[in-house]
């Protein structure tokens, strides 16, 4: 553990001027991109505290996204678990159904100001692609989205959504034909078209300033929660002003950084990131970069990555496409090292059981990604007292995942004449007397 652990967290100031979070982050890019990255850094430095820019950002979040997203007390869940009060930050209620749009709006506003008429993006499950295509339609920007050809096949509704919104989707045939290959291809496009093109990265990864910039745009989640929690807790006669723990799932780490960052000075609040443990942390089939990875350089920054002894990126696995990434934002590697955040794993099966539980107990169909965070909240909540509380970042809605869930449950939801609810083996909700 690093001695900075003893640094007062209210003086947490990261990254440094060169984009480093301790030894992580930085900017590892080819010569051709150095200029584009410098230009972006300058533009962001100019606008990040500009009142007119911030006012427009706030306006867009309010009128186009529907912010602030509510904090919801999951009363039935809390009662059934018999432990801590569980609260959900409802990012699933945002326009386009997840937190991703917050960041995309901020970057598209920069693209407009920098005079770049063409936007490119990479996408895995298609959520970031849809959010980017949405904003490009709204701002009249050309939009090209790179997507692994395997993902194009698995996520056809999102591919069609992007096309409806006027975007061009480019299937990527290299490597494992998934997200990391799409990222490589988008970088290549950027090198060739730096003059007219803005690259909108979808998570807190990539070269500096992306990890900081995306975090800043997503921090609206945590800032709102800090305002909302005192009265939510007071309603339950809880004396504390803020939750005992904040829990979020971690793929690249943007929804987690968005809710964690404003909470860093609140030292009594534990920050817990949940990685996809897939078939188990020791199965080799997971996406737990922070818990089973090691330091290395991927996609322009130093961070924790899943690699073999030769530094080759290893295959990852998760039931949820949004968590299936072999790296993680560099700031998470730093928060883990200084001990300000903890990282745990939730398996595919645990996430699926939590998904069904939330559907039936609260009337909310969550994204499979968010189900990982909720699953850990259920585990931890049971060990806590009813006058304690947990805030879960419900990063997105689960409509996109119902096909996956049906397949995994062995159910055919079109052909059955009557359906009074699926039978779910092992779902915590089934244990009722
Ligand atoms: C993309 C996505 C994630 C994972 O991305 P992060 O950058 O780790 O937040 C999580 N939840 C949902 C709903 C997503 O769409």
């Amino acid at each position: 553990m690093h001695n900075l652990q003893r640094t007062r967290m209210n003086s947490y100031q990261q990254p440094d001027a060169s984009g480093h979070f301790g030894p992580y982050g930085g900017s590892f890019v080819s010569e051709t991109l150095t200029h584009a990255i410098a230009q972006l850094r300058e533009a962001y430095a100019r606008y990040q505290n500009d009142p007119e820019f911030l006012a427009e950002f706030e306006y867009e979040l309010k009128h186009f996204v529907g912010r602030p997203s509510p904090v919801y007390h999951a009363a039935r869940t809390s009662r059934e678990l018999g432990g801590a009060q569980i609260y959900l930050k409802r990012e699933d209620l945002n326009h386009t159904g997840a937190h991703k749009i917050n960041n995309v709006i901020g970057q598209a506003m920069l693209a407009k100001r920098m005079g770049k008429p063409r936007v490119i993006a990479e996408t895995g499950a298609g959520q970031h692609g849809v959010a980017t295509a949405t904003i490009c339609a709204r701002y009249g920007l050309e939009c090209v989205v790179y997507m692994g050809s395997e993902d194009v096949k698995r996520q056809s509704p999102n591919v069609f959504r992007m096309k409806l919104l006027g975007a061009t989707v480019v299937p990527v045939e290299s490597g494992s034909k998934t997200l990391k290959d799409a990222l490589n291809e988008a970088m290549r496009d950027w090198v060739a078209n730096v003059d007219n093109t803005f690259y909108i990265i979808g998570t807190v990864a990539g070269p500096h300033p992306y990890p900081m910039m995306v975090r800043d745009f997503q921090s609206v989640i945590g800032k709102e929660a800090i305002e909302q929690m005192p009265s939510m807790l007071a309603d339950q006669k809880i004396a504390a002003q803020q939750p005992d723990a904040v829990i979020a799932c971690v793929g690249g780490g943007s929804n987690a950084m968005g809710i964690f960052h404003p909470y860093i000075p609140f030292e009594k609040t534990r920050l817990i990131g949940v990685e996809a443990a897939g078939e188990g942390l020791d199965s080799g089939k997971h996406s737990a970069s922070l818990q089973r990875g090691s330091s290395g350089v991927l996609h322009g920054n130093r961070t924790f990555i899943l690699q073999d002894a030769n530094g080759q990126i290893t295959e990852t696995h998760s039931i949820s496409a949004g968590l299936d990434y072999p790296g993680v934002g560099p700031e998470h590697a730093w928060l883990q090292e200084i001990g300000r955040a903890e990282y745990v794993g939730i398996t595919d099966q645990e996430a699926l059981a939590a998904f069904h539980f939330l559907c039936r107990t609260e009337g909310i169909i969550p994204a499979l990604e968010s189900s990982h965070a909720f699953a850990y909240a259920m585990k931890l909540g049971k060990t806590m007292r009813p006058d304690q509380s947990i805030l879960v970042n419900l990063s997105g809605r689960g409509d996109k995942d119902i096909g996956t869930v049906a397949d995994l449950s062995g159910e055919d939801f079109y052909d059955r004449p009557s359906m009074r609810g699926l039978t779910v083996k092992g779902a915590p909700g089934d244990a009722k007397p």
Side-chain angles (χ1 to χ4, degrees):
M1 202 123 298
H2 207 275
N3 25 359
L4 258 183
Q5 192 181 4
R6 282 185 294 275
T7 307
R8 290 184 56 85
M9 288 299 166
N10 60 15
S11 64
Y12 181 92
Q13 282 283 349
Q14 298 284 337
D16 67 14
S18 59
H20 285 91
F21 305 88
Y24 308 108
S27 181
F28 297 78
V29 294
S30 63
E31 199 106 340
T32 20
L33 279 186
T34 314
H35 177 62
I37 287 285
Q39 233 188 8
L40 176 61
R41 266 205 305 267
E42 263 165 47
Y44 186 58
R46 175 158 154 218
Y47 291 113
Q48 75 181 129
N49 296 315
D50 175 52
E52 185 263 338
F53 183 88
L54 295 175
E56 184 181 331
F57 185 52
E58 199 173 303
Y59 182 94
E60 294 290 278
L61 291 178
K62 180 173 175 192
H63 296 279
F64 193 60
V65 178
R67 302 203 73 92
S69 66
V71 165
Y72 166 77
H73 179 220
R76 289 195 63 213
T77 298
S78 309
R79 219 176 302 129
E80 275 204 34
L81 297 179
Q85 302 306 311
I86 310 276
Y87 294 86
L88 309 175
K89 179 67 172 157
R90 300 289 310 274
E91 292 300 296
D92 60 313
L93 294 178
N94 294 340
H95 180 42
T96 69
H99 67 288
K100 294 229 165 63
I101 191 120
N102 304 326
N103 161 52
V104 168
I105 288 179
Q107 291 195 52
M109 282 173 47
L110 277 182
K112 277 199 303 181
R113 282 166 174 75
M114 292 171 75
K116 310 262 182 185
R118 181 173 179 269
V119 160
I120 57 170
E122 83 295 335
T123 198
Q127 294 301 102
H128 176 57
V130 168
T132 305
T134 298
I135 296 303
C136 287
R138 164 138 173 69
Y139 291 168
L141 299 164
E142 184 190 345
C143 181
V144 178
V145 179
Y146 288 92
M147 189 170 185
S149 60
E150 272 306 310
D151 292 332
V152 169
K153 267 187 255 160
R154 288 190 291 196
Q155 309 286 340
S156 51
N158 272 344
V159 174
F160 192 61
R161 269 183 204 117
M162 288 184 259
K163 289 183 181 172
L164 287 173
L165 294 159
T168 304
V169 180
V170 182
V172 175
E173 301 289 350
S174 56
S176 54
K177 305 178 180 161
T178 59
L179 178 61
K180 73 172 166 44
D181 313 293
L183 240 147
N184 289 333
E185 209 53 40
M187 286 270 189
R188 238 167 263 146
D189 177 314
W190 203 25
V191 170
N193 300 292
V194 277
D195 290 340
N196 71 344
T197 298
F198 191 103
Y199 179 16
I200 298 189
I201 294 186
T203 191
V204 285
H208 179 60
Y210 284 102
M212 169 182 78
M213 182 171 71
V214 175
R215 171 199 78 193
D216 293 349
F217 291 141
Q218 291 292 4
S219 289
V220 64
I221 305 172
K223 286 180 197 158
E224 285 176 3
I226 286 168
E227 298 270 306
Q228 292 163 316
M229 284 311 292
S231 72
M232 294 301 294
L233 292 169
D235 282 349
Q236 300 306 313
K237 313 260 184 299
I238 294 177
Q241 297 284 299
Q242 296 298 336
D244 296 281
V246 170
I247 301 182
C249 64
V250 177
S254 68
N255 86 85
M257 273 321 304
I259 198 162
F260 285 0
H261 191 256
Y263 269 104
I264 288 175
F266 292 75
E267 291 185 67
K268 284 188 211 145
T269 299
R270 284 171 70 185
L271 305 177
I272 306 173
V274 184
E275 293 189 300
E279 296 179 11
L281 284 176
D282 298 317
S283 68
K285 291 189 161 182
H286 58 73
S287 312
S289 323
L290 287 162
Q291 294 165 87
R292 288 294 181 274
S294 51
S295 177
V297 172
L298 179 67
H299 297 138
N301 69 95
R302 174 171 293 283
T303 185
F304 265 52
I305 59 179
L306 292 168
Q307 56 188 334
D308 65 19
N310 300 318
Q312 294 297 312
I313 298 299
T314 54
E315 286 288 307
T316 53
H317 164 81
S318 170
I319 191 182
S320 66
L323 302 184
D324 202 349
Y325 177 60
V328 63
E331 193 163 10
H332 286 292
W334 180 236
L335 289 175
Q336 174 171 257
E337 191 160 316
I338 64 176
R340 180 59 188 98
E342 313 152 54
Y343 296 88
V344 298
I346 281 290
T347 65
D348 288 349
Q349 281 312 314
E350 291 172 318
L352 197 57
F355 171 95
H356 286 294
F357 182 91
L358 192 55
C359 289
R360 290 171 169 210
T361 312
E362 302 291 346
I364 295 170
I365 300 179
L368 281 173
E369 291 85 0
S370 324
S371 301
H372 286 71
F374 185 70
Y376 192 73
M378 289 173 69
K379 270 192 185 176
L380 181 65
K382 280 181 199 159
T383 70
M384 294 165 66
R385 297 186 316 265
D387 65 340
Q388 293 182 301
S389 63
I390 296 175
L391 175 63
V392 179
N393 198 14
L394 204 75
S395 55
R397 67 176 180 228
D399 306 50
K400 68 185 177 62
D401 294 317
I402 57 176
T404 306
V405 172
D407 288 349
L408 290 164
S409 313
E411 295 283 344
D412 179 350
F413 54 64
Y414 293 117
D415 282 347
R416 286 148 54 95
S418 101
M419 287 189 50
R420 303 188 53 209
L422 301 175
T423 312
V424 185
K425 287 195 206 78
D430 290 347
K432 274 172 270 183

